[in-house]
Amino acid sequence: MLNTGVSGLLGLGFWLVAARYYTEAAVGQGSAAIAAMKLLAGLTAVTLTGALARFLPVAGSATGRLVRRTYAGGSAVVAVAATVFLLTLDLWGPSYGFLHGPLNGLGFVLAVAAWSLLTLQDGVLTGLRSALWVPAGNLAFSAVKLGLLVVCAAALPTAGVFVSWVAAIAVSVLPLGWLVFRRLIPRHVRATDRTARPPSLREMGRFLAGDYTGSLFSLAVVYLVPVLVASQVSAVDNAYFYITTTIGGTVNLLAVNMGASLTVEGAHDPARLAQHTRAALRRMARIMIPVCCLLFVLAPYVLGVFGSGYADAATPLLRWYAVGAALRVVLEVYFAVLRAQSRTSGLAYLQGLLCVLVLGLTLLLLPRMGLTGAGVAEISSLTVIVSIAARRLHRVLRGHPSPLLTRVPADSLAPDGDLADLAVHGDRGDAVGTYRRGSTTEADGDGDTDDDAGAVTGVHTGT
């Protein structure tokens, strides 16, 4: 939550400075390239953060190998995806014209790979229960890109928005990467040596089969929509749209990040999942509802800071996004519960349905209602999915036992209720059976399972 506030405010400051130092067309082109970068990097980054949050807490001695393979595999996949995108650049509209040329193309491929690492790094820090490092890294990233934005304004009047963003990634990735491999992973291995249960390939494969599929659908909702809009509207209108979605996305991240922490704690301590879920829902509601109400009322004034054109064109859109952010409280809590229980088939179903609704309605309403149509499409879709998720979440809040707990005798629990170290394969596709293996050592070594894992950002949607 701290990370979202820090990076969100600095991220909005970035776009405010961009609106002052660059033309609206340049902002539209730069934001289009950033949207494409996030979409392509998210093919592995966004889709694998759920798996990192689920399995790193119990990976033990396999933690370093799991992180290295995730980084290497993710970078290779997104580099190929970025190359394919560049080969089809003419199909994506005039906003992407400045990426033509071998040098610009190579820079874009490297940018996509770097952004993938930055996003995966946040997931790694979450899974290692060291999320307090996330706002530190993203604070450095946000501050440096803001400074570079001003420096690049004169030298790169068209590409400066994108170049300043990409160049700042190294400020976070390199030092935190050193910290992860040299300090945090060895500490995590020592602390969980007696309680870890490294996941098997079969277990991870079953989890990813549902979670990766569902995350691809989620990725399309968050990142494909801006790319589609950029390909269908002028660069100026895309500037209005992207900055508005950035503001709305920053608010959405408050819910997403608390959900990530709920997944970690739910995997670490399944016996208290209902308690953790109620706590997460209360905390999210206390923060999100007032923020969404203020955003709805103050929408024209918030956009007016960027310029009168932004307020005139996008105030209704921002108000729709404010309503959608409130609805996401229920949705993200339920998604986090499903990940903690390894019930990823249900997750994929809901995210797939949301994807189909959002993309279909956006393509239908955008030509008829302009930018506001994208907001109407999102709210209509979220309403359908939230109505389904709310009924199912109610069962969790009432404390109905999940499949994770049905096989564990009450007297076999460790003193802190920790079951994360006991999981072995169950015979259900949507759950992991759990059994005691004889250790009562705390997974984190300090006896505290309540508040160790702070909030984290699994995606950088808002900034």
Side-chain angles (χ1 to χ4, degrees), residues 224-250:
L224 182 55
V225 170
V227 174
L228 288 176
V229 172
S231 69
Q232 297 189 41
V233 302
S234 67
V236 172
D237 283 340
N238 188 60
Y240 299 151
F241 176 81
Y242 192 84
I243 286 183
T244 304
T245 57
T246 295
I247 298 171
T250 300

Short mmCIF file of all heavy atoms in Angstrom, two decimals, residues 224-250:
data_model
loop_
_atom_site.label_atom_id
_atom_site.label_comp_id
_atom_site.label_asym_id
_atom_site.label_seq_id
_atom_site.Cartn_x
_atom_site.Cartn_y
_atom_site.Cartn_z
N LEU A 224 -4.09 -4.51 -22.75
CA LEU A 224 -4.46 -4.56 -24.15
C LEU A 224 -5.45 -3.46 -24.52
O LEU A 224 -5.39 -2.92 -25.63
CB LEU A 224 -5.05 -5.93 -24.50
CG LEU A 224 -5.44 -6.15 -25.97
CD1 LEU A 224 -4.25 -5.88 -26.90
CD2 LEU A 224 -5.97 -7.57 -26.17
N VAL A 225 -6.31 -3.10 -23.59
CA VAL A 225 -7.28 -2.03 -23.87
C VAL A 225 -6.58 -0.72 -24.24
O VAL A 225 -6.93 -0.10 -25.25
CB VAL A 225 -8.25 -1.84 -22.69
CG1 VAL A 225 -9.09 -0.57 -22.88
CG2 VAL A 225 -9.18 -3.04 -22.57
N PRO A 226 -5.56 -0.25 -23.47
CA PRO A 226 -4.87 0.98 -23.89
C PRO A 226 -4.20 0.86 -25.26
O PRO A 226 -4.17 1.84 -26.02
CB PRO A 226 -3.82 1.19 -22.78
CG PRO A 226 -4.38 0.50 -21.60
CD PRO A 226 -5.10 -0.69 -22.14
N VAL A 227 -3.67 -0.32 -25.58
CA VAL A 227 -3.04 -0.49 -26.89
C VAL A 227 -4.09 -0.43 -28.00
O VAL A 227 -3.88 0.19 -29.04
CB VAL A 227 -2.26 -1.83 -26.94
CG1 VAL A 227 -1.74 -2.09 -28.35
CG2 VAL A 227 -1.10 -1.80 -25.95
N LEU A 228 -5.24 -1.06 -27.78
CA LEU A 228 -6.32 -1.01 -28.77
C LEU A 228 -6.83 0.42 -28.96
O LEU A 228 -7.07 0.86 -30.09
CB LEU A 228 -7.47 -1.92 -28.34
CG LEU A 228 -7.23 -3.43 -28.44
CD1 LEU A 228 -8.42 -4.18 -27.89
CD2 LEU A 228 -6.94 -3.83 -29.87
N VAL A 229 -6.98 1.14 -27.87
CA VAL A 229 -7.45 2.53 -27.97
C VAL A 229 -6.42 3.37 -28.73
O VAL A 229 -6.77 4.17 -29.61
CB VAL A 229 -7.71 3.12 -26.56
CG1 VAL A 229 -7.99 4.62 -26.65
CG2 VAL A 229 -8.89 2.42 -25.91
N ALA A 230 -5.13 3.17 -28.41
CA ALA A 230 -4.08 3.93 -29.08
C ALA A 230 -4.07 3.67 -30.58
O ALA A 230 -3.73 4.55 -31.38
CB ALA A 230 -2.71 3.59 -28.49
N SER A 231 -4.45 2.47 -30.99
CA SER A 231 -4.46 2.13 -32.40
C SER A 231 -5.68 2.68 -33.14
O SER A 231 -5.70 2.69 -34.37
CB SER A 231 -4.40 0.61 -32.58
OG SER A 231 -5.61 0.00 -32.14
N GLN A 232 -6.69 3.15 -32.40
CA GLN A 232 -7.94 3.58 -33.03
C GLN A 232 -8.24 5.06 -32.88
O GLN A 232 -9.17 5.57 -33.50
CB GLN A 232 -9.12 2.78 -32.45
CG GLN A 232 -9.03 1.29 -32.73
CD GLN A 232 -10.30 0.56 -32.33
OE1 GLN A 232 -11.40 1.04 -32.56
NE2 GLN A 232 -10.14 -0.62 -31.74
N VAL A 233 -7.47 5.78 -32.05
CA VAL A 233 -7.73 7.21 -31.86
C VAL A 233 -6.47 7.99 -32.22
O VAL A 233 -5.39 7.42 -32.40
CB VAL A 233 -8.18 7.53 -30.41
CG1 VAL A 233 -9.42 6.74 -30.05
CG2 VAL A 233 -7.05 7.23 -29.42
N SER A 234 -6.59 9.28 -32.28
CA SER A 234 -5.43 10.13 -32.56
C SER A 234 -4.47 10.15 -31.38
O SER A 234 -4.83 9.77 -30.26
CB SER A 234 -5.89 11.56 -32.86
OG SER A 234 -6.43 12.16 -31.69
N ALA A 235 -3.25 10.60 -31.61
CA ALA A 235 -2.26 10.68 -30.53
C ALA A 235 -2.72 11.62 -29.43
O ALA A 235 -2.48 11.38 -28.24
CB ALA A 235 -0.91 11.13 -31.09
N VAL A 236 -3.42 12.69 -29.79
CA VAL A 236 -3.92 13.64 -28.79
C VAL A 236 -4.97 12.98 -27.90
O VAL A 236 -4.93 13.06 -26.67
CB VAL A 236 -4.49 14.91 -29.47
CG1 VAL A 236 -5.18 15.80 -28.45
CG2 VAL A 236 -3.37 15.67 -30.18
N ASP A 237 -5.95 12.32 -28.52
CA ASP A 237 -6.98 11.63 -27.74
C ASP A 237 -6.37 10.52 -26.90
O ASP A 237 -6.83 10.23 -25.78
CB ASP A 237 -8.05 11.05 -28.66
CG ASP A 237 -9.02 12.11 -29.15
OD1 ASP A 237 -9.10 13.18 -28.51
OD2 ASP A 237 -9.69 11.88 -30.17
N ASN A 238 -5.32 9.87 -27.41
CA ASN A 238 -4.67 8.83 -26.63
C ASN A 238 -3.99 9.41 -25.40
O ASN A 238 -3.94 8.76 -24.35
CB ASN A 238 -3.64 8.08 -27.48
CG ASN A 238 -3.09 6.88 -26.75
OD1 ASN A 238 -3.82 5.97 -26.38
ND2 ASN A 238 -1.78 6.86 -26.54
N ALA A 239 -3.47 10.62 -25.50
CA ALA A 239 -2.89 11.27 -24.33
C ALA A 239 -3.96 11.47 -23.26
O ALA A 239 -3.73 11.21 -22.07
CB ALA A 239 -2.27 12.61 -24.71
N TYR A 240 -5.15 11.94 -23.67
CA TYR A 240 -6.25 12.12 -22.72
C TYR A 240 -6.62 10.78 -22.07
O TYR A 240 -6.82 10.70 -20.85
CB TYR A 240 -7.48 12.70 -23.43
CG TYR A 240 -7.27 14.04 -24.07
CD1 TYR A 240 -7.99 14.43 -25.19
CD2 TYR A 240 -6.34 14.95 -23.55
CE1 TYR A 240 -7.81 15.67 -25.78
CE2 TYR A 240 -6.15 16.19 -24.13
CZ TYR A 240 -6.89 16.54 -25.25
OH TYR A 240 -6.71 17.78 -25.84
N PHE A 241 -6.72 9.75 -22.90
CA PHE A 241 -7.14 8.45 -22.40
C PHE A 241 -6.10 7.86 -21.46
O PHE A 241 -6.43 7.37 -20.37
CB PHE A 241 -7.38 7.50 -23.57
CG PHE A 241 -7.73 6.10 -23.15
CD1 PHE A 241 -9.02 5.78 -22.77
CD2 PHE A 241 -6.77 5.09 -23.13
CE1 PHE A 241 -9.35 4.49 -22.36
CE2 PHE A 241 -7.08 3.81 -22.73
CZ PHE A 241 -8.38 3.51 -22.35
N TYR A 242 -4.82 7.89 -21.86
CA TYR A 242 -3.80 7.19 -21.08
C TYR A 242 -3.60 7.83 -19.70
O TYR A 242 -3.47 7.13 -18.70
CB TYR A 242 -2.47 7.16 -21.83
CG TYR A 242 -1.49 6.20 -21.20
CD1 TYR A 242 -1.52 4.85 -21.50
CD2 TYR A 242 -0.55 6.64 -20.27
CE1 TYR A 242 -0.64 3.96 -20.91
CE2 TYR A 242 0.33 5.76 -19.67
CZ TYR A 242 0.28 4.42 -19.99
OH TYR A 242 1.15 3.55 -19.38
N ILE A 243 -3.57 9.14 -19.64
CA ILE A 243 -3.38 9.78 -18.34
C ILE A 243 -4.57 9.51 -17.43
O ILE A 243 -4.42 9.30 -16.22
CB ILE A 243 -3.13 11.29 -18.54
CG1 ILE A 243 -1.70 11.50 -19.07
CG2 ILE A 243 -3.33 12.05 -17.24
CD1 ILE A 243 -1.30 12.93 -19.24
N THR A 244 -5.77 9.48 -18.01
CA THR A 244 -6.95 9.17 -17.20
C THR A 244 -6.90 7.74 -16.68
O THR A 244 -7.19 7.49 -15.50
CB THR A 244 -8.23 9.37 -18.04
OG1 THR A 244 -8.26 10.70 -18.54
CG2 THR A 244 -9.48 9.13 -17.19
N THR A 245 -6.53 6.79 -17.52
CA THR A 245 -6.43 5.41 -17.06
C THR A 245 -5.27 5.23 -16.07
O THR A 245 -5.34 4.36 -15.20
CB THR A 245 -6.22 4.44 -18.24
OG1 THR A 245 -5.05 4.83 -18.99
CG2 THR A 245 -7.42 4.46 -19.17
N THR A 246 -4.25 6.06 -16.19
CA THR A 246 -3.16 6.01 -15.22
C THR A 246 -3.65 6.39 -13.83
O THR A 246 -3.32 5.75 -12.83
CB THR A 246 -2.01 6.94 -15.64
OG1 THR A 246 -1.45 6.47 -16.87
CG2 THR A 246 -0.93 6.99 -14.58
N ILE A 247 -4.46 7.43 -13.76
CA ILE A 247 -5.02 7.85 -12.47
C ILE A 247 -5.92 6.75 -11.91
O ILE A 247 -5.81 6.37 -10.74
CB ILE A 247 -5.80 9.17 -12.64
CG1 ILE A 247 -4.87 10.29 -13.10
CG2 ILE A 247 -6.48 9.55 -11.32
CD1 ILE A 247 -5.59 11.56 -13.50
N GLY A 248 -6.82 6.23 -12.75
CA GLY A 248 -7.69 5.16 -12.29
C GLY A 248 -6.92 3.91 -11.93
O GLY A 248 -7.23 3.23 -10.95
N GLY A 249 -5.89 3.58 -12.71
CA GLY A 249 -5.10 2.39 -12.44
C GLY A 249 -4.32 2.49 -11.14
O GLY A 249 -4.11 1.49 -10.45
N THR A 250 -3.87 3.69 -10.78
CA THR A 250 -3.16 3.87 -9.52
C THR A 250 -4.07 3.54 -8.35
O THR A 250 -3.65 2.89 -7.38
CB THR A 250 -2.66 5.32 -9.40
OG1 THR A 250 -1.77 5.59 -10.49
CG2 THR A 250 -1.93 5.54 -8.09
#
